[in-house]
Amino acid sequence: MSLRPFFLSAMLLAAGCKKSDPATPTPPVVKPGVQLVCTPSAERSDYSIFPKVADGAGVGDVMPFFDAASGTQYIYYLKDVWNDATNQRHPWYGFTTNDFRQYTELPAGELLPSSSGSCAQDRAIGTGSVIARNGTYYAFYTGHNPNSDNCGRRKEGVMLATAPAPNQKFSKNAAFATLYVPTGQGFDENDNFRDPFVYQDDASGQYAMLVSARRNSRGVVVKYTSADLLTWTYQGVLYDGGTSSYFMMECPQLFKLGSTYYLTYSDTGTRYFYYRKSALPNGPWSAPSGIERFDGNGLYAARVLNNPVTGKSYLIGWVNRLENNTDTGNWWWGGNLVTHQLNQLPTGDLTVSMVPALRTYLEAQPEPLQRVSRTASAARPDSSTYILTGPAAGPLANVLYQPINLTRFKLSATVSYTQAAKDFGFMLGACDGTNEFYSLRFVPGQNRFSFDRVNRSGLNAGTSAVADVPFPMQPNTDYAVDIVEENSVVVVYLNGVAALSVRIYKAPRTSWGIFADNSSATFKNLRITKP
């Protein structure tokens, strides 16, 4: 459905002439004739803060790199093309950024192509990493051959290409001996050996390489060492998941903040990003003392860029697309780039928050809120506060708003609750205010924040979320919430400690609101801002 211009104009005029807005409306405050909009609009291509490739292709696994020589922040990535008109399969491309709000594609275009030979080890290109040594830039990457069974070779190996500068095309090093997983040690010898990450060990001065592999039917991260980046020696398993068993721990990375070493990876089963920490570069590795993860399954294959000049760290990954650009479509690999600022707590645990430059950009000017209705159970004690008291039985408390007709914006509020037997939060794509809407909801009883598409009538304590993130809450405590939207990419930042990155095709330009169900929740300073 769509808004009728006549009714909308009339209602806006009526709202402008309204002399009072009672604290508790009896009956509920409603604008007659204003229809809710809940039909998804067509997916758009005008992304900037969550970029895709300029030609519309998706961004895949990222390989961030800080170039100390120039002070430039690079984000190499796999471009999501496969057997396209250029006969490429996940070639490397790249962005540069000064602030993680604006991104510039590298003029060189394709930096590392796949090989055309059907039996070439790098018939397809996989994830890797870049490191500089003596003015040469070494790009270690996964050579993946989907035809390996018919070619008499292993499916995956680690290969090398080099360039004289980080913004130039890489040339493959044919003399480099492709690294394959060790034989006779319980590894998957013909598959599952990928995503090399190379770094220099501070203590020994040697170079180290981490690679994702599978051994004895569980995912592991293995380690190699080298003195010159050309000859590598296997050093064993760095981490086997400990008490957790993963199929694969993809895109591993090791870095140090302060006195703590961090090992990060993405679980192929849940698609969650995890980290472990240690006082030593080889472990033992322990889980965080607080929440184990700070985003959901929407942000995948993330890696960290540490900027030694600014002392800031950033977590960069991609939010997947869904087939046919619909919320009911199958999960698609690759999508839009999303960056969080990564922060370290005194305990050594890590948190994420909105990049400061993005916040400044999105708070340039306000956008008026255009309310459609509020229930009698939604009190408004002052102009910037709503207190929603959703009964244990009966319709939930809500306030509904007209669509936000912007490509990118930030919706913010401070929330708290006195009791929450069920949940409260934000409605997206609302066809009504009681049942048919998507929900971004706080579930204090389960210590989590959740995105759900299911109607309220089908939602219960056992409902599997589309995506969620751990978020412990306490009554009578304020929590800052920022919801950043750019077209169908939605990123929710929770009190400067966690985020939920999701794809919601129904979110743009549809009716939305706030609600409380069998809960008493307060929403203060609800506002929309835009560039």
Side-chain angles (χ1 to χ4, degrees):
M1 293 183 290
S2 60
L3 292 172
R4 298 176 183 176
F6 172 79
F7 282 124
L8 176 57
S9 299
M11 291 307 104
L12 290 175
L13 179 61
C17 297
K18 194 174 183 67
K19 295 183 179 180
S20 64
D21 188 6
T24 303
T26 306
V29 173
V30 180
K31 290 184 177 181
V34 177
Q35 297 178 337
L36 297 178
V37 180
C38 61
T39 301
S41 57
E43 170 70 345
R44 297 163 63 109
S45 60
D46 51 342
Y47 286 95
S48 64
I49 61 174
F50 302 134
K52 296 170 70 175
V53 189
D55 62 8
V59 171
D61 296 1
V62 297
M63 297 150 281
F65 170 68
F66 178 79
D67 180 35
S70 64
T72 304
Q73 299 171 139
Y74 288 86
I75 305 172
Y76 303 107
Y77 61 88
L78 303 181
K79 180 179 178 180
D80 185 27
V81 293
W82 193 273
N83 293 336
D84 68 335
T86 64
N87 193 30
Q88 282 297 303
R89 288 154 295 279
H90 290 175
W92 282 23
Y93 279 66
F95 295 115
T96 58
T97 181
N98 293 323
D99 56 8
F100 295 95
R101 197 277 290 177
Q102 299 181 85
Y103 300 86
T104 302
E105 289 195 2
L106 291 177
E110 183 182 85
L111 302 172
L112 182 62
S114 60
S115 293
S116 59
S118 61
C119 285
Q121 181 62 68
D122 56 354
R123 169 76 176 169
I125 300 294
T127 313
S129 63
V130 173
I131 190 168
R133 181 173 187 256
N134 298 331
T136 298
Y137 294 80
Y138 293 74
F140 292 90
Y141 66 97
T142 304
H144 176 93
N145 191 300
N147 307 317
S148 59
D149 289 345
N150 300 321
C151 294
R153 66 164 61 250
R154 303 189 196 187
K155 181 170 286 187
E156 294 182 326
V158 174
M159 307 179 76
L160 172 65
T162 60
N167 59 354
Q168 296 185 20
K169 295 179 182 294
F170 290 92
S171 299
K172 296 177 182 180
N173 186 335
F176 179 76
T178 300
L179 291 177
Y180 294 104
V181 72
T183 58
Q185 299 189 36
F187 288 97
D188 289 359
E189 295 181 3
N190 295 316
D191 197 358
N192 296 317
F193 187 68
R194 55 184 175 268
D195 305 343
F197 174 75
V198 177
Y199 60 98
Q200 189 166 23
D201 182 78
D202 293 337
S204 67
Q206 282 196 316
Y207 297 97
M209 177 192 294
L210 306 185
V211 187
S212 297
R214 270 178 65 77
R215 186 185 189 190
N216 299 328
S217 300
R218 62 186 291 153
V220 297
V221 176
V222 299
K223 182 178 180 179
Y224 290 77
T225 57
S226 173
D228 60 4
L229 295 173
L230 298 176
T231 302
W232 292 89
T233 303
Y234 174 64
Q235 299 292 352
V237 173
L238 179 72
Y239 186 59
D240 67 357
T243 58
S244 300
S245 180
Y246 305 101
F247 184 88
M248 282 289 284
M249 292 182 278
E250 290 192 316
C251 302
Q253 183 177 10
L254 189 146
F255 58 91
K256 186 180 182 183
L257 293 178
S259 61
T260 303
Y261 291 90
Y262 295 91
L263 174 67
T264 67
Y265 54 91
S266 291
D267 169 31
T268 57
T270 62
R271 302 194 186 106
Y272 291 147
F273 173 89
Y274 289 109
Y275 72 94
R276 298 292 182 260
K277 56 185 184 177
S278 176
L280 301 170
N282 291 316
W285 302 99
S286 62
S289 56
I291 60 174
E292 190 174 30
R293 56 185 176 88
F294 41 61
D295 204 329
N297 58 13
L299 187 75
Y300 192 67
R303 276 184 169 168
V304 174
L305 187 148
N306 296 302
N307 187 319
V309 176
T310 63
K312 302 296 185 181
S313 299
Y314 303 90
L315 182 74
I316 310 163
W318 50 265
V319 172
N320 68 280
R321 297 157 297 171
L322 298 171
E323 187 176 13
N324 297 322
N325 294 327
T326 64
D327 290 320
T328 57
N330 293 324
W331 187 91
W332 267 7
W333 187 92
N336 293 70
L337 188 80
V338 169
T339 301
H340 305 320
Q341 181 163 297
L342 189 70
N343 311 299
Q344 185 184 43
L345 298 178
T347 61
D349 284 4
L350 300 175
T351 65
V352 292
S353 59
M354 192 187 311
V355 171
L358 179 59
R359 178 180 293 278
T360 299
Y361 172 72
L362 291 172
E363 292 180 346
Q365 54 185 322
E367 175 74 7
L369 290 166
Q370 299 182 36
R371 196 183 66 206
V372 173
S373 65
R374 66 182 172 108
T375 60
S377 51
R380 192 184 187 197
D382 59 61
S383 60
S384 64
T385 303
Y386 284 104
I387 301 175
L388 276 57
T389 306
L396 49 76
N398 70 68
V399 182
L400 288 167
Y401 293 91
Q402 293 179 19
I404 304 168
N405 292 312
L406 299 170
T407 299
R408 58 195 63 86
F409 62 89
K410 181 171 74 71
L411 169 64
S412 60
T414 301
V415 303
S416 62
Y417 72 97
T418 55
Q419 70 84 21
K422 193 172 183 181
D423 61 358
F424 60 93
F426 299 85
M427 300 183 284
L428 299 178
C431 295
D432 57 47
T434 58
N435 183 55
E436 192 176 347
F437 56 84
Y438 291 176
S439 54
L440 290 167
R441 62 194 187 104
F442 297 91
V443 193
Q446 298 178 353
N447 290 321
R448 66 189 182 93
F449 181 81
S450 179
F451 167 53
D452 297 271
R453 299 192 196 106
V454 66
N455 287 347
R456 300 297 295 182
S457 58
L459 192 65
N460 56 59
T463 299
S464 295
V466 177
D468 68 0
V469 64
F471 190 64
M473 302 179 73
Q474 296 294 327
N476 305 307
T477 304
D478 285 347
Y479 297 93
V481 183
D482 292 298
I483 303 175
V484 178
E485 290 191 27
E486 184 174 43
N487 296 322
S488 62
V489 177
V490 179
V491 181
V492 184
Y493 289 98
L494 301 167
N495 214 43
V497 298
L500 190 66
S501 307
V502 288
R503 175 79 62 178
I504 310 177
Y505 290 105
K506 200 177 184 181
R509 297 173 171 81
T510 56
S511 300
W512 65 282
I514 55 177
F515 75 92
D517 190 356
N518 198 0
S519 303
S520 295
T522 299
F523 294 76
K524 295 187 294 188
N525 302 319
L526 186 68
R527 66 187 187 123
I528 302 167
T529 56
K530 62 185 180 181

